[in-house]
Amino acid sequence: MARIYLASSWRNPQQPLLVEVLRSHGHQVYDFRNPPYATGFSWPEIGLDAANCTAEEYRTAVLTHPRAAQAFNSDFGAMRWADTCLLVLPCGRSAHLELGWMAGAGKRTLILTQDGQEPELMALLADRICISVDEVLTELGGK
């Protein structure tokens, strides 16, 4: 079975269910909301108002705060561990960076999209664009 890095957004309500579905099919899944060695990361916990911060505040927080380093190391370690990246739309910029890194690292990359999502030309970097969970499971060999 696959070792999956599920890249998405905290705001995506499908993320927890997809973690459960993939695990129920025997896959190992990194859950960024519940990482094994820490808690999920959020900007307010390091005192940053992400919607209203300056570029300097953002840079300083990312480069110097120990909690930001801990969260990054957890996620990046999981990216190195995984053999597959599943990008679940809608998601933010970090998830796209994660899929891009994994594509560049030669790992299998899948995108799960649905009606109403804005098309993205660079999605052609992914090995497969799936439009249902069933397609994802078939691609992973779990259905």
Side-chain angles (χ1 to χ4, degrees):
M1 291 291 138
R3 291 186 319 269
I4 301 169
Y5 185 91
L6 198 155
S8 192
S9 168
W10 280 86
R11 293 179 295 274
N12 189 325
Q14 296 179 60
Q15 189 270 349
L17 177 62
L18 284 167
V19 169
E20 281 185 40
V21 167
L22 293 166
R23 287 178 176 166
S24 75
H25 282 82
H27 301 289
Q28 294 176 292
V29 183
Y30 176 75
D31 179 1
F32 65 85
R33 291 184 184 196
N34 300 291
Y37 305 112
T39 58
F41 175 78
S42 68
W43 294 112
E45 75 182 275
I46 65 170
L48 192 69
D49 177 0
N52 297 305
C53 67
T54 67
E56 180 61 33
E57 290 168 332
Y58 160 68
R59 181 174 65 182
T60 299
V62 167
L63 294 177
T64 65
H65 200 287
R67 180 64 180 108
Q70 179 191 37
F72 171 83
N73 289 330
S74 178
D75 288 356
F76 194 53
M79 290 165 60
R80 289 188 303 261
W81 161 84
D83 57 42
T84 302
C85 179
L86 173 60
L87 177 75
V88 181
L89 298 174
C91 62
R93 296 175 305 274
S94 286
H96 285 87
L97 283 167
E98 292 158 349
L99 180 118
W101 182 87
M102 293 186 80
K107 297 176 184 249
R108 177 171 47 178
T109 52
L110 310 172
I111 296 175
L112 176 59
T113 190
Q114 58 189 338
D115 291 345
Q117 295 301 309
E118 183 177 348
E120 177 57 58
L121 182 62
M122 296 313 289
L124 290 172
L125 284 173
D127 295 311
R128 175 113 165 118
I129 299 171
C130 301
I131 59 171
S132 71
V133 175
D134 286 339
E135 279 189 13
V136 169
L137 293 172
T138 299
E139 188 68 25
L140 294 170
K143 186 159 183 168

